[in-house]
Amino acid sequence: RGGLDGFLIAIGIALAAAIVLPIYARHRLYQTGKPLLVWPIVLGLLVGLPLIAALIAGRPFGLEMPVLRGFNFAGGSRLPPEFVALTLALSTYTAAFIAEVVRAGILSVPKGQMEAGASLGLSRGATLRLIVIPQALRVILPPLTNQYLNLTKNSSLAVAIGYPDLFSVFAGTTLSQTGQAIEVIAITMAVYLLISLVTSALMSLYSWRIARTSQA
């Protein structure tokens, strides 16, 4: 247990550093004009801190191979085929829409922006990252938010293949045990509404930051 706690604390510190360091690097660039390459430091923290914690406090978890005992396997972990099918289906379906949203957003930026970046000596990747993508995000974010909300609601289709997702637990197990149909359905609706509102709020906050950055 101690090894797992230290491992999780190390991951938390590394994630906090991954959030703070880009802010510090941006502030340093504005104040001194000296850039700071952040990704090697963040990568080193994400890999090094959990590794050091595991070496000091012991292994946070172990690997166990399943062994045939009697008529069934014992040990290890089981990956439900319903979960695999749901993950593949939702990932493929949603990725197709998101890819189209991103493609349309990039194509909405005038081609002259790419030519302007090339005239400044920027590579194609740098032009996309510094010029095209920031402008395309203003077009991408609204439909992208809709796709994330659709993904949240489409996950309830897991009940059709027998996977115990949130909707199945509330409207299936809880409803059958309590018999309080109105209350259970109201709670289910409230949970999905809360998830949708949080997703929309986070995407709106990110859109506001992008708009403020482009205006500055």
Side-chain angles (χ1 to χ4, degrees):
R1 175 64 182 176
L4 181 60
D5 291 340
F7 186 78
L8 294 178
I9 291 174
I11 292 179
I13 295 175
L15 291 177
I19 297 174
V20 173
L21 276 176
I23 300 175
Y24 168 74
R26 191 179 303 111
H27 178 73
R28 176 185 173 181
L29 181 63
Y30 290 157
Q31 295 296 324
T32 65
K34 298 179 180 179
L36 177 64
L37 195 58
V38 174
W39 73 264
I41 303 175
V42 172
L43 182 61
L45 290 175
L46 289 174
V47 176
L49 284 182
L51 182 60
I52 293 173
L55 293 176
I56 294 176
R59 293 188 303 171
F61 47 82
L63 297 177
E64 184 182 16
M65 296 297 293
V67 179
L68 182 60
R69 295 177 182 172
F71 296 100
N72 203 350
F73 286 92
S77 60
R78 178 177 175 270
L79 187 63
E82 296 85 2
F83 176 76
V84 176
L86 177 68
T87 303
L88 291 177
L90 288 182
S91 300
T92 305
Y93 179 79
T94 308
F97 283 95
I98 292 179
E100 185 64 21
V101 167
V102 174
R103 185 191 69 85
I106 292 176
L107 291 180
S108 68
V109 179
K111 293 182 179 180
Q113 299 295 316
M114 290 290 296
E115 298 172 354
S119 67
L120 293 174
L122 296 176
S123 64
R124 183 177 178 83
T127 304
L128 284 172
R129 181 170 55 89
L130 299 175
I131 298 177
V132 177
I133 296 298
Q135 299 180 64
L137 281 175
R138 291 179 293 180
V139 180
I140 292 174
L141 286 177
L144 186 62
T145 303
N146 291 335
Q147 292 305 318
Y148 287 148
L149 295 176
N150 288 336
L151 177 61
T152 302
K153 293 179 288 186
N154 289 338
S155 64
S156 61
L157 295 174
V159 68
I161 59 174
Y163 183 74
D165 72 320
L166 182 65
F167 181 80
S168 176
V169 171
F170 275 111
T173 306
T174 306
L175 179 58
S176 62
Q177 291 182 355
T178 61
Q180 304 294 326
I182 297 178
E183 292 83 353
V184 171
I185 296 300
I187 293 174
T188 306
M189 294 171 59
V191 171
Y192 275 100
L193 177 62
L194 178 62
I195 296 174
S196 300
L197 289 177
V198 170
T199 303
S200 180
L202 292 176
M203 295 298 293
S204 297
L205 177 62
Y206 183 64
S207 177
W208 172 77
R209 288 189 58 186
I210 293 296
R212 187 182 65 172
T213 304
S214 62
Q215 290 175 1

